[in-house]
Amino acid sequence: MGSGESTGFEPATGDGPPLAGNAEARAASVRTAFEGLLQIRRLTGGGRAGPAPWELHRPVRAVALALESSGAAPSAVDASGRRVSAGYRVRAGEAAGSVRVDWAGPPGSGAAHHEEEALAECAEVLRGLGWTVLLYRGPRRRRYLEVEPPAGVPGVR
């Protein structure tokens, strides 16, 4: 992280470098982090399905973790910021507490042709975890997901 300090596990948002290192170790870290998220839900959810308070305070991280744990591939960028692989990209949405998920890739990767199916899979994962997911078309008719907590979740807006 540049400062030499470890910040712990970070799920892939699609705006970082390509995942490097031992794939099995990464998968184990993702699995452990996701199991921790599910445990937080059990302890704080009071039986309701949907995002826990921890997720509501870190929605980009929570959505990225859910997608990575599902096996979806994240996009990635090189050191110059140029996109080098196709996959999901998670970032803050326009509304407070919302998250935007799009399917991004380098020119010629075919990301635009795969986005409908890929985003449908992402939406299914997120809906299964209690998020509200809406599909939109943006500039150049590219699709994206707007993800937000379900209506009526305490502490939301």
Side-chain angles (χ1 to χ4, degrees):
M1 299 279 145
S3 66
E5 293 179 30
S6 175
T7 59
F9 174 80
E10 286 294 326
T13 63
D15 278 334
L19 298 177
N22 183 327
E24 288 179 23
R26 176 70 187 190
S29 294
V30 169
R31 193 170 38 258
T32 298
F34 188 69
E35 288 169 1
L37 181 143
L38 295 178
Q39 182 66 12
I40 290 170
R41 281 183 168 203
R42 282 190 287 278
L43 294 172
T44 63
R48 72 171 166 80
W54 177 90
E55 295 170 90
L56 301 177
H57 294 293
R58 299 163 189 82
V60 169
R61 185 175 179 163
V63 167
L65 177 57
L67 293 177
E68 188 173 359
S69 73
S70 77
S75 183
V77 295
D78 65 13
S80 69
R82 190 185 63 179
R83 201 142 304 273
V84 294
S85 64
Y88 67 80
R89 179 181 182 211
V90 180
R91 55 195 161 135
E94 291 182 24
S98 73
V99 175
R100 180 177 170 144
V101 178
D102 38 27
W103 199 256
S109 68
H113 298 291
H114 300 289
E115 74 183 4
E116 184 174 10
E117 181 181 342
L119 288 174
E121 291 172 7
C122 292
E124 183 178 335
V125 166
L126 297 169
R127 285 186 185 118
L129 291 168
W131 292 93
T132 297
V133 182
L134 301 169
L135 176 66
Y136 291 100
R137 279 194 192 261
R140 296 185 314 250
R141 303 192 44 81
R142 294 293 307 265
R143 294 171 182 89
Y144 67 93
L145 302 175
E146 193 72 27
V147 182
E148 50 193 38
V153 172
V156 178
R157 293 189 261 270

